[in-house]
Amino acid sequence: MNNIFLGIDVGGSGIKGAPVDLELGDFERDRLRIPTPSKSTPKNVAAVIGEIIDQYADVIGDNPVGIAIPGPVVHGRIDFMANLDQKWVGLQADQYFEDKLGRQIVLVNDADAAGLAEVHFGAAKDHPGLVILTTLGTGIGAAIIYRGVLIPNAELGHLELNGFDAEKRAASSIKDREGLSYKEWATERLQPYYSHVEMLFSPDLFVVGGGVSKDWDKWGDLLDLKTPMTPALLRNKAGIIGAALAAKDAVEHPDVLSPVEHDDQ
Ligand code: BGC
């Protein structure tokens, strides 16, 4: 097996993929981005993924392909989908993609993928404690990682806060939609959200990913939390790199039910 794994990140607006050199924790070639089909059914998404695989087939050999999905992935099955077509719900998606694409596929939640990537190569590299990564984008994704081991499928974006689904108040897409300033968004929306997560989990570190983390300077200091918070380092590479890590983990630990352990566990 070579150490180059293709990671693909399925998002609400784009499907992005690149072969990842997992020795270096970086792309082996430039990434390819194709807009998510407006009807984002598994069938239409699989067609786009097929195009991305074709593009890089020469570098990845027989390695499984890792795909990050914006919903919880329970042993390859999707039972809840907030921001893609509802045809995903009830789908044994790993089997479905393997049948369509003719190769081994490993699925992982997108925020879990980003969390794995940040713990292996980024802002929380080798962190010895409890890290919670959140991604702020169309929705809010979350990954809980304790001493390098991921506790998969934490749907902390859907905590109910003041009677609302938290991501419908605090995601960066809501900031844009409602035209909130950074200050309004940070103090009125993010502050209660992170205070609540902090109270529930007592993490050692928050890492914040998603496109808006690049504007960290504009809002990071406005939050008042006990827990240190740092922007993600890998930015929009994290989902792809984490999906590739999950694919490698599946090869190395074929009997493990769901992702993913740290290298030295
Ligand atoms: C989904 C999560 C996902 C997050 C970010 C949420 O709506 O339920 O599974 O990680 O969006 O895409």
Side-chain angles (χ1 to χ4, degrees), residues 162-176:
N162 303 326
F164 289 96
D165 185 24
E167 76 170 23
K168 297 276 181 300
R169 302 283 291 166
S172 63
S173 60
I174 305 298
K175 172 188 178 301
D176 297 342

Side-chain angles (χ1 to χ4, degrees), residues 222-245:
L222 301 172
L223 296 177
D224 181 17
L225 296 163
K226 292 191 276 282
T227 312
M229 184 181 258
T230 186
L233 269 186
L234 302 170
R235 299 273 163 79
N236 58 8
K237 291 185 168 179
I240 293 174
I241 294 176
L245 278 168

